[in-house]
Amino acid sequence: MADPQAKTLFDRIWENHVVGQRDAVTSLIYIDLHLIHELSSPQAFENLVLNNRKVRRPDATLAVPDHNVPTTDRDKPVKDPESALQIQLLEENTKAHGIEFFSMHDIRQGIVHIISPEQGLTQPGMSIVCGDSHTSTHGALGAWAFGIGTSEVEHVLATQTLVLRKPANMRITVKGELLNGITSKDLALHIIGVIGAKGATGHVIEYAGPVIEALSVEARMTLCNMTIEAGGRSGLVAPDDKTIRYLKGRPRAPKDGDWDKAVAFWATLKTDAGARFDKEVVVDAKKIEPQVTWGTSPEDVISISGRVPDPTHFENPERREAAKKALQYMGLKPGTLMRDILVDRVFIGSCTNSRIEDLRSAAKMIKGRRVADNIIEALVVPGSGLVKAQAEKEGLDKIFKEAGFEWREPGCSMCLGLNPDKVGPGERCASTSNRNFPGRQGPGARTHLLSPAMAAVAAIAGKLADVREYE
Amino acid sequence: MRKFETLTSWAATLPQPNIDTAQLIPARHLKTVKRDGLGRFAFEAARYDKKGESNPDFIFNQSPFDKAEILIAGANFGCGSSREHAVWALADLGIRAIISEQFADIFASNAPKNGMLLITLGRDEIAELMQRAKSKRVRINLPSQIVEIEDMQVKIPFEMDPFDKKCLLEGLDQIALTLRQNAEISTYEARWEKKTPWLFHD
Ligand code: SF4
């Protein structure tokens, strides 16, 4: 029975951050950490200065260029003048306002959602925002983290708060266990397939159950990262011993006496038994096979053993229309075996899958094998300078390079193709990123989302392939 | 911010669901450091063919909908990225109000901050509006929260967040409003710092 006094983890974090009530439905909410990058911030700083306002908490703000940084020739000036200007403005704006900035030449630079947990800045129970929808990633450590637009970036800079309406609570409980070769990326894609691209709109998702508890903190990041693709602005996992072990000793984690206090506080961050959720979904992990998308929305997902669906089989008329359009864009025929689809490019990277565990899992598949001849380009783009250094220490870079992969400098890269890393018109890319929208990786680009291990075997096979046959 | 009270206009219709932010404005146009002039990139892939010519099949290239200030769209409108450029591009194209069954969360919070009204209606109401908007103009009255077809055959009330409504009607600067609560924020900070001192560094 639902207990009216019982609270969810998110209820607790929300209550902790209410500065005051605005009106019957909106509250003023305090923000603990604000992450900034070059793409969504220039207009916010411009307005701030125009209105003669100051940054309220520079000490709670960190900036890093990631979206359009080049992944080669870091010692040379950025070629594209627009990208160069955005990167330069980020540096100037943060300097003018006393905000810490990790430059492109700093080993700590990387994709904003990779570097904050890596530095230990992302911690349980915090409210975290960034002008980027994949801010949901940080929920893996039990933080309430969500993407905001540029007006909100400006609002947080000036006030350290946001005016919000409380989102609803949703819980996704994952039972059973993930079978061999199945990763949290497959789980994330499967969940989006089940609840749809708008299944979590207006909700904060708490991921729970034995499978979530068994996931590493990095694997939880992949899952929380993809929450936005199901419509949820944030997804989170209750902090546990793994979270604490992950954070211990990181540069920005609490120190000395604060550490014990923080650990004691984090222990209070959980959902009460009997707490009420507005929506509950239960997923059986044992049924999940390696997942890959066939269309132009992350909800267009199927098992690698499946076939491209026939749009006329969809009951909902809108979905039917959308599927028809998607197949046209993707250049696919209904009934084609997914594993018969040839690919032109492979991209291993993005805030979804560019952490050390992702690179290890891809390298394991690639070791001693070669990228197929039909592949134009296979890229590995580590999520941060520190991930890159760790991978090199483990010799992963050699495995990738010997197989024919390119080993690059950290950034968003081919996830959205703002720097020179793009997928050409009509080309097909097996990508570990998070969005297969039309034109996402370049105009006319065709994206198939999958896990790092699946991307690795696609590179070897030259087509979509089943990771379970390569182990 | 521009005030919003009432609006009568032709309404363009885009019935497909999941119109994402990359369709609203492709990422390559986010490399601007300004907010204005983005209207020419709105719906770029659908609006122009490969040679850059207007695609006559796209509704915003058809008279009288090329002047539409209202858009009626399929569910999950604005899903995907947090880019406020999507709102700026639509606003620059002339759109002042969007009607859909459901808006993506971040888009829904970005739009009203730029004077753009979002109206959420039921599936059947949307279907009827889309049908009638082909031949009649649509009228929106924000103070009384009503959408109607010009010939008055259809009159639909809508729900609205009171805070967003107030900001739109009065064209309020939300940051100025929040800054009035400065003392309250400071009180909160002192309390929160006591509880979580590790979140405060000087
Ligand atoms: S890697 Fe892709 S999804 Fe992640 S922040 Fe960068 S552009 Fe966005």
Side-chain angles (χ1 to χ4, degrees):
Chain A
M1 265 311 285
D3 168 1
Q5 299 296 312
K7 287 177 188 160
T8 67
L9 166 57
F10 171 61
D11 291 340
R12 289 217 148 79
I13 302 179
W14 170 271
E15 278 170 21
N16 277 339
H17 290 89
V18 176
V19 172
Q21 205 67 22
R22 241 313 150 75
D23 52 40
V25 287
T26 47
S27 305
L28 192 62
I29 293 295
Y30 196 74
I31 301 302
D32 292 321
L33 175 64
H34 186 191
L35 303 165
I36 293 178
H37 62 84
E38 75 277 27
L39 219 59
S40 58
S41 64
Q43 296 87 347
F45 280 110
E46 184 188 35
N47 254 15
L48 197 75
V49 173
L50 265 173
N51 288 295
N52 222 343
R53 288 169 182 154
K54 285 209 298 263
V55 175
R56 187 179 177 98
R57 292 254 338 249
D59 70 309
T61 315
L62 173 73
V64 69
D66 56 0
H67 278 67
N68 57 29
V69 297
T71 55
T72 55
D73 301 317
R74 281 284 168 89
D75 46 340
K76 302 199 184 91
V78 176
K79 269 201 204 123
D80 172 41
E82 288 181 304
S83 299
L85 176 62
Q86 282 195 328
I87 296 166
Q88 181 198 334
L89 271 181
L90 184 67
E91 180 159 15
E92 286 173 11
N93 284 331
T94 49
K95 203 165 164 195
H97 292 276
I99 294 167
E100 189 173 18
F101 172 75
F102 287 179
S103 94
M104 247 174 20
H105 308 291
D106 189 319
I107 193 168
R108 298 169 299 176
Q109 181 268 343
I111 305 170
V112 63
H113 310 308
I114 303 281
I115 67 163
S116 176
E118 186 174 76
Q119 290 298 315
L121 273 164
T122 298
Q123 296 160 21
M126 291 174 94
S127 58
I128 302 177
V129 297
C130 174
D132 187 280
S133 61
H134 291 96
T135 308
S136 57
T137 313
H138 306 262
L141 287 116
W144 168 36
F146 53 97
I148 57 178
T150 300
S151 296
E152 288 177 315
V153 169
E154 187 188 337
H155 197 282
V156 176
L157 286 172
T159 70
Q160 206 59 33
T161 64
L162 282 173
V163 179
L164 295 173
R165 181 185 255 246
K166 190 181 175 200
N169 278 294
M170 173 169 183
R171 177 162 58 190
I172 298 185
T173 306
V174 188
K175 289 198 174 140
E177 55 181 336
L178 291 174
L179 301 179
N180 228 350
I182 313 300
T183 67
S184 67
K185 179 61 164 290
D186 301 294
L187 174 60
L189 287 168
H190 174 78
I191 288 172
I192 298 161
V194 171
I195 69 175
K198 57 180 164 64
T201 303
H203 292 74
V204 168
I205 300 181
E206 179 175 348
Y207 295 99
V211 172
I212 307 301
E213 285 160 25
L215 290 178
S216 70
V217 172
E218 291 197 355
R220 293 173 188 175
M221 288 187 214
T222 302
L223 181 62
C224 289
N225 172 279
M226 295 290 287
T227 304
I228 185 70
E229 309 312 329
R233 218 170 163 178
S234 19
L236 42 74
V237 175
D240 60 6
D241 289 347
K242 282 185 186 167
T243 321
I244 292 167
R245 274 202 303 276
Y246 176 92
L247 280 168
K248 181 133 198 164
R250 293 199 178 253
R252 303 300 169 91
K255 296 262 138 43
D256 310 322
D258 274 347
W259 172 258
D260 295 333
K261 259 193 243 166
V263 170
F265 172 67
W266 297 340
T268 66
L269 298 170
K270 46 177 173 274
T271 291
D272 296 331
R276 194 187 148 273
F277 284 85
D278 304 282
K279 238 186 195 180
E280 290 246 33
V281 175
V282 178
V283 170
D284 181 0
K286 282 212 189 91
K287 295 210 174 105
I288 304 174
E289 292 189 89
Q291 301 287 297
V292 55
T293 59
W294 52 265
T296 53
S297 162
E299 71 182 11
D300 299 338
V301 70
I302 196 165
S303 299
I304 183 66
S305 55
R307 288 171 190 274
V308 174
D310 185 339
T312 60
H313 293 172
F314 286 106
E315 263 171 46
N316 175 328
E318 281 153 20
R319 189 83 210 277
R320 213 178 299 149
E321 265 319 293
K324 222 161 75 191
K325 267 192 144 174
L327 290 190
Q328 202 180 8
Y329 181 84
M330 293 296 289
L332 292 174
K333 288 206 182 59
T336 308
L337 269 173
M338 290 307 290
R339 39 182 308 161
D340 284 346
I341 298 173
L342 292 174
V343 300
D344 306 301
R345 287 179 196 265
V346 175
F347 172 58
I348 298 176
S350 89
C351 56
T352 314
N353 283 127
S354 65
R355 283 167 285 266
I356 190 69
E357 288 178 12
D358 300 316
L359 302 191
R360 283 181 195 140
S361 102
K364 198 173 127 206
M365 293 296 134
I366 284 159
K367 194 167 186 174
R369 295 183 169 122
R370 288 274 324 156
V371 171
D373 288 341
N374 64 309
I375 302 286
I376 302 168
E377 184 181 55
L379 280 189
V380 186
V381 184
S384 72
L386 289 166
V387 170
K388 183 171 184 249
Q390 177 63 31
E392 288 173 355
K393 208 168 111 193
E394 297 177 21
L396 305 185
D397 59 324
K398 285 203 195 70
I399 297 177
F400 285 117
K401 285 191 271 192
E402 274 162 20
F405 273 88
E406 301 223 12
W407 179 249
R408 295 291 183 84
E409 302 292 335
C412 295
S413 177
M414 204 180 268
C415 174
L416 87 170
L418 276 192
N419 71 353
D421 311 336
K422 289 186 195 22
V423 178
E427 285 176 3
R428 201 176 286 290
C429 182
S431 178
T432 66
S433 54
N434 39 57
R435 284 191 180 133
N436 51 351
F437 298 162
R440 168 77 177 181
Q441 295 189 288
R446 295 164 168 164
T447 304
H448 294 274
L449 302 175
L450 30 59
S451 74
M454 284 283 284
V457 298
I460 296 158
K463 58 190 184 99
L464 298 177
D466 192 334
V467 66
R468 294 168 298 185
E469 285 166 24
Y470 287 77
E471 281 184 313
Chain B
M1 198 174 84
R2 188 169 169 188
K3 292 182 189 176
F4 193 111
E5 273 201 3
T6 59
L7 172 65
T8 306
S9 159
W10 290 99
T13 53
L14 290 170
Q16 68 266 32
N18 300 333
I19 296 180
D20 59 74
T21 48
Q23 293 179 56
L24 297 178
I25 182 168
R28 60 186 172 282
H29 303 303
L30 310 188
K31 292 205 252 183
T32 172
V33 297
K34 300 282 170 208
R35 290 168 199 252
D36 40 20
L38 295 176
R40 62 203 152 111
F41 307 128
F43 300 109
E44 189 179 55
R47 232 163 108 205
Y48 309 105
D49 65 15
K50 289 203 180 76
K51 289 191 224 98
E53 311 280 338
S54 289
N55 166 14
D57 296 337
F58 190 60
I59 188 140
F60 280 98
N61 292 331
Q62 299 163 356
S63 179
F65 305 108
D66 52 349
K67 302 259 169 2
E69 293 176 70
I70 299 171
L71 170 62
I72 312 175
N76 204 22
F77 186 86
C79 62
S81 115
S82 60
R83 63 187 72 159
E84 200 158 313
H85 309 68
V87 179
W88 301 334
L90 289 172
D92 195 43
L93 186 67
I95 299 296
R96 299 193 57 211
I98 309 176
I99 305 173
S100 174
E101 203 183 316
Q102 190 180 34
F103 293 94
D105 287 344
I106 307 179
F107 185 88
S109 83
N110 287 341
K113 297 182 178 66
N114 294 277
M116 189 176 290
L117 171 64
L118 301 185
I119 298 175
T120 310
L121 294 178
R123 167 172 288 241
D124 297 343
E125 294 164 332
I126 301 258
E128 173 154 29
L129 272 183
M130 283 201 186
Q131 191 51 38
R132 295 195 183 246
K134 286 182 184 149
S135 55
K136 293 271 188 278
R137 296 196 302 173
V138 174
R139 187 175 299 155
I140 295 169
N141 186 322
L142 178 59
S144 54
Q145 297 184 213
I146 300 264
V147 184
E148 57 196 352
I149 294 288
E150 205 179 16
D151 63 9
M152 310 290 269
Q153 294 291 316
V154 183
K155 211 173 168 130
I156 307 168
F158 61 88
E159 305 269 321
M160 182 81 204
D161 182 307
F163 180 70
D164 282 345
K165 180 174 177 179
K166 188 174 142 98
C167 289
L168 282 167
L169 284 174
E170 299 173 29
L172 291 177
D173 170 354
Q174 297 200 9
I175 297 177
L177 274 184
T178 301
L179 285 172
R180 280 193 225 150
Q181 284 176 273
N182 209 359
E184 216 180 326
I185 299 172
S186 298
T187 310
Y188 170 89
E189 267 171 346
R191 194 173 73 226
W192 187 228
E193 183 170 5
K194 232 171 153 186
K195 194 162 174 191
T196 59
W198 59 89
L199 297 181
F200 291 78
H201 340 261
D202 356 73

